[in-house]
Amino acid sequence: MKLNVFIGAGGLLSLTGVVWILQGLDQLGGSPMTGVVFWAWAGLASLVTGLGVLYVAIYRGTRPRG
């Protein structure tokens, strides 16, 4: 249960990061965020954090302890 929450949170954070990067780089329109480079950097931070959460949840969370 706890592992699924972390996988979901990491996936959602990563997906949000990709959307913010595309909006910040003016590749995805329809938002006041479009074309504002700050959102590309914020998206990169979000993507890296989300991938880190996924790594910890999947690779560290499934190892046998001992």
Side-chain angles (χ1 to χ4, degrees), residues 9-23 33 39 42-44 46-47:
L12 186 60
L13 196 56
S14 297
L15 182 62
T16 301
V18 169
V19 170
W20 285 356
I21 289 169
L22 291 175
Q23 285 180 330
M33 296 165 49
W39 291 110
L44 181 62
S46 177
L47 177 63

Side-chain angles (χ1 to χ4, degrees), residues 17-65:
V18 169
V19 170
W20 285 356
I21 289 169
L22 291 175
Q23 285 180 330
L25 296 177
D26 206 12
Q27 299 298 313
L28 185 65
S31 168
M33 296 165 49
T34 302
V36 180
V37 179
F38 167 79
W39 291 110
W41 287 108
L44 181 62
S46 177
L47 177 63
V48 168
T49 303
L51 291 175
V53 170
L54 283 172
Y55 173 78
V56 169
I58 294 172
Y59 294 110
R60 302 278 177 140
T62 56
R63 286 186 183 169
R65 308 242 158 97

